Amino acid sequence: MRAPLLLLLAGVTSAPAAAQTLTLTPLAEARLRYEQVSQTGLPEDADAVTIRLRAGVQAALGNWSALAQAQGNLAVVSDYDDGLHGISRRPLVADPQNIALYRAQLRYKTDHLAIAAGRQAIVLDDERFIGSVNFRQNGQTFDAVRAEISPIRGIKADVSYAWDVRTVWGVDGNGARPASIGGNYVLANLSAATPIGTLTGFGYLVDEDQATVQGYRLSSQTYGSRLAGSRRLAKAAKLAWQLSYARQSGYGRNPNHYAADYWLADLKLDLNGPQLGGGYELLGAGNGAALTSFQTPLATTFKFQGWAGKFLTTPPDGVRDLYVDAGYGWAAIGPIKAVALQAVWHHFESDRLVRHYGNEIDVVASGKLGKTTASIRYASYTADHFATDTHKFWLQLDWMI
């Protein structure tokens, strides 16, 4: 980490400190969550009450800023499998107890350039490939150097090199679920504004160096493009769209030789209250062997293929996800702001051999009162030819300073 920091310090300069004011900004947030899971095949349900706390400070002086932030997760009720302590009679809730450094970074920013070095959260596009996994109580961060360059209006290059990924398993992570995964990670995006949306080309190189994590079989190279845009059809009607394609193959020490495709087509119609949408997402299969299908090990996977978590690792035969969603949003209901209701239905099939995996229904309601956001969420997966019936329920309070 020292070499990238020295390069950062040597490559940019700031204005004289005497003409600037040092600003200190506290960083604080808290989350209280109850998660209940019942899963066919396990004799007991999981009940988890966890509290996440994050606290730190950011110091800014002119174009420079530095921050340090710690995070901790306390299991108040721990009747669940946290993924780290052997075979359990209960379903997995991937929120082990933890206390650790969450972020520690130095950043230099101008109108056309931002460079950050250190432990940081990296979120690219919709987090389909690179995300912070913020839904889990222990978020994902990267020990990395990141450069964001905007030479002209509407053009942006975003390139990161990371040498370690801090996982959601926390400081006690071990074996196939380690605290961190070292390696060489190159995450590159180039985006341009067009009349029909933002067009992004991307390349993600993942070269893991820990054999305990699937024997290097998550190392991959992924290249693709994405178009995301929106247009107002009328005063009270707005249409948004996403189109994406990517191709993935083995990389680095991955012993698997494979190639798999990714496709996404998504439409959303917002009628200034009512919301309708749907889409089709495909994570393709390779030759049908384990981990030769399209994988997204650095994604915020909770956002995709249903909240029940049946497809966090893509099955050997890939997955096709046809989904429809509907909702309603209110700016305010009395003192409660940003009130939203949403329901999503998923129909899952395999890509290879086209077998019906199962269906899922997800429902969420949320609202904000002051600095606190409350949400209630439910997911129900009905299995056909993949996994087992699973039902999950969440109650959650989020507070941020």
Side-chain angles (χ1 to χ4, degrees):
M1 184 173 175
R2 291 192 297 271
L5 285 173
L6 290 173
L7 289 173
L8 173 66
L9 293 170
V12 292
T13 59
S14 62
Q20 300 166 353
T21 301
L22 178 65
T23 302
L24 297 178
T25 304
L27 306 171
E29 59 181 275
R31 175 191 285 166
L32 171 64
R33 180 159 70 206
Y34 168 65
E35 181 170 346
Q36 194 274 342
V37 185
S38 62
Q39 181 175 316
T40 299
L42 292 175
E44 299 181 56
D45 293 347
D47 290 282
V49 177
T50 54
I51 299 174
R52 182 178 84 182
L53 298 174
R54 288 178 179 167
V57 65
Q58 176 176 284
L61 181 65
N63 297 117
W64 292 90
S65 65
L67 68 81
Q69 185 179 28
Q71 74 172 359
N73 181 49
L74 173 66
V76 179
V77 176
S78 58
D79 295 332
Y80 65 96
D81 175 11
D82 68 2
L84 300 180
H85 296 94
I87 297 173
S88 174
R89 294 168 55 85
R90 302 178 187 270
L92 173 69
V93 176
D95 293 324
Q97 293 198 110
N98 179 48
I99 184 166
L101 179 67
Y102 178 57
R103 294 188 295 164
Q105 69 180 60
L106 179 65
R107 192 167 189 251
Y108 176 82
K109 186 179 186 304
T110 68
D111 291 339
H112 302 289
L113 172 69
I115 301 177
R119 186 162 299 172
Q120 55 192 291
I122 299 178
V123 173
L124 298 178
D125 298 321
D126 59 353
E127 302 188 73
R128 172 68 273 190
F129 300 105
I130 311 297
S132 61
V133 198
N134 191 52
F135 183 79
R136 298 269 48 110
Q137 299 290 57
N138 303 309
Q140 174 176 273
T141 55
F142 299 79
D143 291 347
V145 175
R146 181 183 186 184
E148 299 171 77
I149 306 166
S150 302
I152 59 176
R153 185 176 180 180
I155 302 292
K156 181 181 178 181
D158 190 329
V159 181
S160 300
Y161 169 72
W163 54 92
D164 202 20
V165 178
R166 309 298 299 189
T167 75
V168 300
W169 302 111
V171 293
D172 293 327
N174 58 80
R177 293 167 172 165
S180 67
I181 305 173
N184 295 289
Y185 305 83
V186 178
L187 317 173
N189 264 19
L190 178 61
S191 62
T194 77
I196 57 172
T198 299
L199 180 62
T200 303
F202 53 83
Y204 304 130
L205 307 181
V206 176
D207 183 11
E208 298 183 347
D209 66 5
Q210 289 182 231
T212 57
V213 182
Q214 303 291 357
Y216 310 118
R217 287 174 174 82
L218 292 177
S219 295
S220 64
Q221 52 186 339
T222 303
Y223 302 97
S225 60
R226 177 176 184 264
L227 177 69
S230 63
R231 179 158 298 176
R232 188 161 294 282
L233 305 178
K235 185 177 180 180
K238 183 179 180 181
L239 181 68
W241 56 84
Q242 295 183 70
L243 296 170
S244 186
Y245 169 75
R247 180 79 165 172
Q248 183 179 95
S249 58
Y251 184 70
R253 281 166 282 191
N254 191 333
N256 288 333
H257 299 282
Y258 74 99
D261 294 322
Y262 169 85
W263 292 93
L264 170 70
D266 179 277
L267 284 175
K268 293 282 190 298
L269 180 63
D270 188 337
L271 300 174
N272 197 27
Q275 300 162 3
L276 299 171
Y280 181 79
E281 187 175 38
L282 179 147
L283 285 81
N287 58 26
L291 301 176
T292 62
S293 50
F294 198 104
Q295 303 294 327
T296 58
L298 303 180
T300 299
T301 47
F302 178 82
K303 296 176 64 176
F304 306 92
Q305 271 82 62
W307 304 331
K310 299 289 100 176
F311 301 96
L312 301 180
T313 298
T314 307
D317 290 329
V319 59
R320 300 177 181 180
D321 178 11
L322 175 67
Y323 57 91
V324 178
D325 64 85
Y328 203 99
W330 297 264
I333 298 179
I336 304 175
K337 311 296 184 183
V339 179
L341 297 172
Q342 183 188 26
V344 187
W345 174 81
H346 295 267
H347 177 83
F348 299 112
E349 294 181 336
S350 66
D351 179 42
R352 184 174 175 270
L353 305 178
V354 194
R355 300 185 313 277
H356 180 225
Y357 283 151
N359 296 328
E360 181 168 329
I361 295 176
D362 300 324
V363 182
V364 63
S366 63
K368 186 174 183 180
L369 181 62
K371 295 180 178 179
T372 301
T373 299
S375 63
I376 180 170
R377 189 184 300 259
Y378 176 74
S380 177
Y381 176 79
T382 303
D384 188 358
H385 290 94
F386 183 80
T388 57
D389 292 356
T390 300
H391 310 283
K392 296 188 177 185
F393 174 77
W394 298 265
L395 286 173
Q396 184 169 309
L397 294 174
D398 285 278
W399 174 88
M400 184 176 294
I401 195 171

